[in-house]
Amino acid sequence: MSTQDSALPAEPVEFSVDLTGHELTRRAHVMNALGAEWDPVEVMRGEEEAYDMLYSGLDEDQQRLYDSLVAAGVLPRRG
């Protein structure tokens, strides 16, 4: 047995890192970057409007494909 082999522990060593403090700091930075005027409800309304626009005015083939994706659970049911 070489000297390198004898330096290795016989059993696995438990290793853990607590990132709780880092995560709280990261979230604080995100909220600071969003600003005090950020309104999550308004953001969700804007997303819903964007989806409504995206899926409006579909031709017959597009509508059939959209309906099949909704039925398969790929896209959420709207309305």
Side-chain angles (χ1 to χ4, degrees):
M1 181 165 20
S2 72
T3 56
Q4 287 181 337
D5 291 336
S6 64
L8 297 175
E11 298 291 323
V13 176
E14 184 176 326
F15 180 79
S16 65
V17 177
D18 184 3
L19 296 175
T20 305
H22 175 73
E23 178 62 13
L24 292 174
T25 301
R26 186 194 68 78
R27 288 182 185 190
H29 286 297
V30 168
M31 295 305 293
N32 189 43
L34 289 171
E37 295 80 31
W38 181 66
D39 182 0
V41 174
E42 186 60 35
V43 169
M44 293 300 293
R45 282 190 194 117
E47 286 185 11
E48 289 297 317
E49 288 175 19
Y51 281 121
D52 290 343
M53 289 172 50
L54 179 64
Y55 297 121
S56 67
L58 300 178
D59 66 26
E60 192 175 305
D61 289 335
Q62 292 168 330
Q63 187 65 51
R64 187 171 41 256
L65 177 60
Y66 172 80
D67 291 340
S68 68
L69 291 172
V70 170
V74 175
L75 293 174
R77 190 166 307 280
R78 305 202 39 84

